[in-house]
Amino acid sequence: MKCSEVQSLFLAPRVPDLFGELPEAQNDLKGEKRRLTDQNRSKVHEEKKLCKEFVTLKGYVAERKGEREEMQDAHVIIDNFTSSFTHLPSEVSRLSYFAVFDGHGGVRASKYAAQNLHLNLTRNFPKGEVSSMEKTIKKCLLMTFKQTDEGFLKQASSQKPAWKDGSTATCVLLVDKDLYVANLGDSRAILCRVNKTSKKVTALPLVKEHNPTQYDERMRIQKAGGTVRDGRVMGVLEVSRSIGDGQYKHCGVISIPDIRRCQLTRNDRFILLACDGLFKVFSPDEAILFVSAILEDKTLIARPGKAAEDVRFEAACNRLASEAVRRGSADNVTIILIAIRH
């Protein structure tokens, strides 16, 4: 549940001055009121923080090269992103960050995005009080993706010959108990939510995929002078939004992510974040059920130096990646499982 809004504290209306001959005492009284008001405001902010701090996330990763010559995926797991910030709005108490980048045409765009996107995010994140946290964070994410794309394109164009790498980007940012998911391309983020009564698990998609066959994406590409052939931009590129891909930017390929906000509940168990190498052989529902079955496996117990939950999530992550390869996924496979702890 959201914490109730706390009304700002104000001093009582000023009454006529009956002690005009005692200016020192009056100033002391004002100072004491100001001191108490500041203390109360500080206490209110602390209470806001405490009542929000009930969700923590922990990420686990598995990677498989598959049949590709090289691993072109990259990923980032920062369970405690809060420590990367020196100043945060008073209502923000906990941040986590996770991302998967699926490279194509090379590994340079995905690596660049993995190294720089979260750094740009720390620079753009609000530092003082804001009127609307949701609007501010979404604006921050839009600017962050723009800067990351521009930074890579500048570096790529300065090379001889110019780099032609590109990458998808799917990022999950936790702000207290609110998830902000920003996506370019066809990697996915899925939330596992358990029905409180039936205990049935549900796969909730958190992103919108971007490929040239979708009507809005195709119309934008054609309006920019590009074409869609065989489901690809100019008959080559499988995604319609990406970081990099400088040679297709004039064809309507953009780096503007879709951004969605989702408030976590106590019925949410984990988040599955993965590139399309997984979803070429697994449906979202199949993947969620596969992971859930392993998390329920009581034969996976704690080991010295490792908790039972860690053992189960690591096993689920690795087995899912291996099963994707066994089922014939010829692509790179990168999977991040994010445990939700209340």
Side-chain angles (χ1 to χ4, degrees), residues 42-281:
S42 177
K43 184 178 180 182
V44 166
H45 289 154
E46 287 304 311
E47 287 174 351
K48 280 183 177 181
K49 284 190 173 185
L50 287 172
C51 64
K52 281 191 172 185
E53 276 190 42
F54 73 96
V55 175
T56 58
L57 303 182
K58 184 172 182 179
Y60 307 81
V61 67
E63 298 176 296
R64 301 290 186 272
K65 189 175 72 170
E67 296 180 9
R68 293 291 179 92
E69 292 183 3
E70 65 176 341
M71 185 61 171
Q72 296 183 349
D73 294 350
H75 69 274
V76 181
I77 293 175
I78 309 178
D79 296 327
N80 179 15
F81 196 32
T82 320
S83 60
S84 301
F85 297 81
T86 53
H87 297 92
L88 285 170
S90 60
E91 57 265 51
V92 175
S93 57
R94 183 181 297 277
L95 296 166
S96 296
Y97 172 87
F98 309 87
V100 166
F101 304 97
D102 184 354
H104 47 263
V107 72
R108 289 166 293 208
S110 57
K111 279 191 173 179
Y112 181 92
Q115 292 166 356
N116 290 279
L117 197 143
H118 66 283
L119 298 180
N120 290 331
L121 181 57
T122 60
R123 298 184 191 106
N124 294 323
F125 202 82
K127 296 174 175 59
E129 303 309 307
V130 295
S131 57
S132 171
M133 184 58 66
E134 181 176 354
K135 287 182 180 178
T136 303
I137 291 177
K138 287 182 176 179
K139 183 178 178 181
C140 163
L141 286 166
L142 287 170
M143 180 61 69
T144 293
F145 273 69
K146 181 176 184 290
Q147 291 173 348
T148 305
D149 183 47
E150 289 175 347
F152 177 74
L153 290 176
K154 182 178 179 180
Q155 187 172 332
S157 63
S158 69
Q159 309 299 313
K160 294 188 184 300
W163 295 343
K164 296 184 178 181
D165 309 46
S167 179
T168 70
T170 302
C171 305
V172 172
L173 175 68
L174 173 76
V175 182
D176 293 316
K177 60 181 177 294
D178 293 330
L179 282 183
Y180 292 87
V181 187
N183 180 62
L184 294 174
D186 55 9
S187 295
R188 301 192 200 184
I190 301 165
L191 176 65
C192 174
R193 181 166 288 174
V194 181
N195 184 288
K196 190 185 299 185
T197 305
S198 67
K199 304 303 180 183
K200 181 180 178 181
V201 298
T202 303
L204 300 177
L206 297 177
V207 300
K208 176 185 176 183
E209 294 177 71
H210 304 122
N211 67 68
T213 62
Q214 294 167 340
Y215 178 78
D216 291 345
E217 301 294 294
R218 186 173 74 252
M219 289 299 101
R220 186 188 67 248
I221 290 163
Q222 292 176 349
K223 187 175 180 180
T227 59
V228 178
R229 299 194 307 272
D230 300 323
R232 298 170 180 246
V233 180
M234 310 303 287
V236 179
L237 187 63
E238 285 189 83
V239 294
S240 52
R241 302 192 192 193
S242 66
I243 288 172
D245 291 315
Q247 67 273 33
Y248 298 108
K249 284 297 196 277
H250 70 281
C251 300
V253 174
I254 59 175
S255 60
I256 301 172
D258 274 315
I259 303 171
R260 300 187 179 189
R261 171 181 167 270
C262 171
Q263 188 173 88
L264 293 176
T265 73
R266 292 189 176 275
N267 298 322
D268 297 329
R269 190 169 188 191
F270 63 85
I271 301 160
L272 171 61
L273 184 58
C275 65
D276 70 326
L278 173 69
F279 297 107
K280 286 175 179 176
V281 292

Side-chain angles (χ1 to χ4, degrees), residues 5-20:
E5 293 293 326
V6 182
Q7 298 293 328
S8 301
L9 299 173
F10 296 93
L11 296 176
R14 187 174 178 178
V15 297
D17 185 5
L18 303 178
F19 302 95

